[in-house]
């Protein structure tokens, strides 16, 4: 009898597909519910005040400022808020794109402690440079978006009619919860119908080697990285194949044995991070964004988001290379 693939047993599917998909859906659903509740309670205008100076400088509406502030806590909830406003006609497609890019800094800061706690025990001092460079890139993306939005968008009308409507009335929790739950139930099926199939497709592509083929192709076409030492190529390949964890293990090993300097390790991790952008977008962002936005719109948002991210990371990497 032919051997049974262990990953396609019931237990294997649950651990490799079912549980990760369930966690993703629960996270997206929680973000959507929080966004709906904030809208129903009319708290978005209070959140918007926290980011009001930046939002005003960017000619963005209050909901973009509210999304920016919310992204410090939950990027998924911030996307849910933008999705609700776009569907209600309060944000145009261009405003939605710019508001999503505007959230680059707070969305990164949510994950920065985890990244630092992963890198510091393995790398020590070079972890500060690596995390500092990625933070500078995120801040640069938000700053660039402010300038871009200011040049593309007219100043918004004074105040926000949507936010002012009923602002003198005290919203009761009971009514707000009912409204939020009603909207949540209406949007939840769409979230599941779009996210689950795309996540399963990504799982199958990974299981049958599509991502491995893409990673091997990238690894075989890295002659243009001759400015890096040969020992750095292993870190980059592992970053492509297994993301940050395996790359950190390799980086820590060559750093301790003296095969690479701290500068070389930081450059290798930055280059690996940049080259893994397409894989990251397909594996992680496409299923998550498709739960909030139409697939075509989700793809455009991801391309803009990840394209700007790769460009900003390349810029800070070049600056580090020439200045260190």
């Amino acid at each position: 009898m032919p051997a049974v693939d262990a990953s396609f047993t019931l237990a294997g599917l649950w651990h490799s597909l079912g549980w990760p998909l369930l966690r993703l859906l629960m996270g997206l659903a929680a973000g959507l519910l929080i966004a709906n509740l904030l809208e129903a309670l009319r708290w978005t205008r209070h959140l918007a005040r926290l980011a009001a100076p930046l939002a005003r400088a960017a000619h963005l509406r209050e909901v973009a400022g509210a999304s920016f502030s919310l992204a410090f806590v939950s990027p998924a909830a911030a996307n849910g808020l933008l999705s609700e406003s776009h569907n209600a006609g309060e944000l145009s497609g261009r405003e939605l794109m710019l508001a999503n890019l505007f959230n680059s800094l707070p969305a990164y800061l949510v994950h920065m402690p985890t990244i630092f706690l992963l890198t510091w025990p393995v790398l020590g001092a070079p972890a500060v440079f690596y995390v500092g460079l990625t933070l500078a890139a995120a801040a640069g993306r938000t700053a660039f978006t402010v300038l871009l939005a200011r040049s593309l968008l007219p100043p918004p009308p004074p105040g926000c009619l949507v936010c002012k409507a009923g602002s003198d009335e005290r919203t009761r929790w009971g009514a707000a919860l009912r409204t939020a739950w009603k909207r949540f139930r209406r949007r939840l099926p769409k979230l599941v119908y779009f996210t689950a199939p795309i996540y399963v497709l990504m799982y199958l592509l990974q299981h049958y080697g599509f991502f491995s083929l893409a990673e091997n192709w990238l690894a075989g076409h890295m002659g243009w990285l001759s400015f890096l030492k040969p020992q750095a190529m292993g870190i980059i390949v592992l970053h492509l194949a297994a993301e940050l964890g395996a790359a950190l293990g390799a980086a820590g090993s060559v750093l301790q044995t003296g095969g690479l300097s701290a500068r070389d390790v930081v450059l290798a991790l930055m280059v690996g991070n940049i080259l893994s952008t397409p894989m990251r977008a397909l594996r992680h962002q496409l299923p998550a964004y498709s739960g909030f936005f139409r697939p075509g719109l989700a793809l455009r948002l991801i391309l803009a988001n990840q394209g700007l991210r790769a460009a900003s990371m390349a810029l800070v990497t070049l600056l580090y290379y020439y200045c260190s």
Side-chain angles (χ1 to χ4, degrees), residues 3-324:
V4 177
D5 189 341
S7 62
F8 277 92
T9 64
L10 190 59
L13 283 173
W14 168 250
H15 287 294
S16 61
L17 176 61
W19 176 237
L21 175 57
L22 183 60
R23 281 191 306 175
L24 174 65
L25 290 175
M26 288 191 299
L28 294 178
L32 181 62
L33 184 59
I34 291 170
N36 285 328
L37 183 58
L38 290 172
E39 279 285 334
L41 288 168
R42 304 185 187 279
W43 283 3
T44 52
R45 65 186 185 279
H46 301 302
L47 287 172
R49 290 194 187 107
L50 300 175
L54 268 181
R56 271 199 304 269
H59 292 173
L60 290 169
R61 297 176 185 271
E62 283 188 0
V63 67
S67 172
F68 181 87
S69 300
L70 187 57
F72 281 100
V73 180
S74 170
N79 279 335
L81 187 59
L82 292 177
S83 172
E84 290 292 320
S85 297
H86 179 64
N87 291 335
E90 298 164 16
L91 285 178
S92 66
R94 177 178 288 183
E95 288 174 317
L96 173 65
M97 179 77 70
L98 291 167
N100 181 256
L101 296 175
F102 184 53
N103 290 346
S104 295
L105 178 59
Y108 175 78
L109 287 173
V110 169
H111 303 293
M112 190 178 76
T114 302
I115 296 173
F116 183 75
L117 291 173
L118 280 173
T119 55
W120 174 260
V122 180
L123 302 180
V128 177
F129 289 97
Y130 176 72
V131 175
L133 289 172
T134 55
L135 175 60
R141 291 194 293 275
T142 290
F144 172 78
T145 303
V146 170
L147 297 176
L148 181 64
R150 187 176 180 85
S151 67
L152 294 178
L153 300 176
C160 173
L161 296 178
V162 175
C163 296
K164 284 183 177 178
S167 61
D168 295 331
E169 300 175 7
R170 191 171 181 178
T171 305
R172 295 183 178 179
W173 271 92
L177 285 170
R178 286 193 295 273
T179 301
W181 183 248
K182 182 179 178 180
R183 292 175 182 171
F184 174 75
R185 289 178 61 188
R186 187 173 67 246
R187 291 290 310 280
L188 184 62
K190 178 184 174 183
L191 184 148
V192 175
Y193 294 157
F194 281 109
T195 303
I198 290 176
Y199 188 93
V200 171
L201 175 62
M202 294 301 108
Y203 171 82
L204 292 173
L205 288 175
Q206 182 165 349
H207 179 79
Y208 286 109
F210 171 82
F211 291 121
S212 296
L213 287 174
E215 289 154 0
N216 290 335
W217 184 89
L218 282 173
H221 292 77
M222 293 196 301
W224 56 278
L225 294 176
S226 56
F227 64 92
L228 293 174
K229 293 182 178 178
Q231 298 93 323
M233 296 305 170
I235 298 173
I236 296 171
V237 170
L238 284 171
H239 209 309
L240 289 169
E243 300 191 9
L244 185 59
L248 283 175
S253 175
V254 293
L255 186 63
Q256 292 299 321
T257 58
L260 291 176
S261 67
R263 176 180 180 270
D264 294 325
V265 165
V266 172
L267 285 171
L269 288 172
M270 292 295 292
V271 171
N273 198 322
I274 295 166
L275 293 180
S276 64
T277 294
M279 299 300 111
R280 185 187 303 106
L282 284 175
R283 284 172 175 166
H284 305 302
Q285 281 204 302
L286 186 57
Y289 270 61
S290 296
F292 292 121
F293 308 102
R294 299 186 307 277
L297 177 58
L299 188 58
R300 290 197 299 273
L301 290 172
I302 291 170
L303 288 174
N305 190 297
Q306 291 296 310
L308 181 58
R309 180 187 178 281
S312 66
M313 292 282 286
L315 178 60
V316 298
T317 301
L318 286 173
L319 290 173
Y320 179 73
Y321 175 78
Y322 286 111
C323 296
S324 61

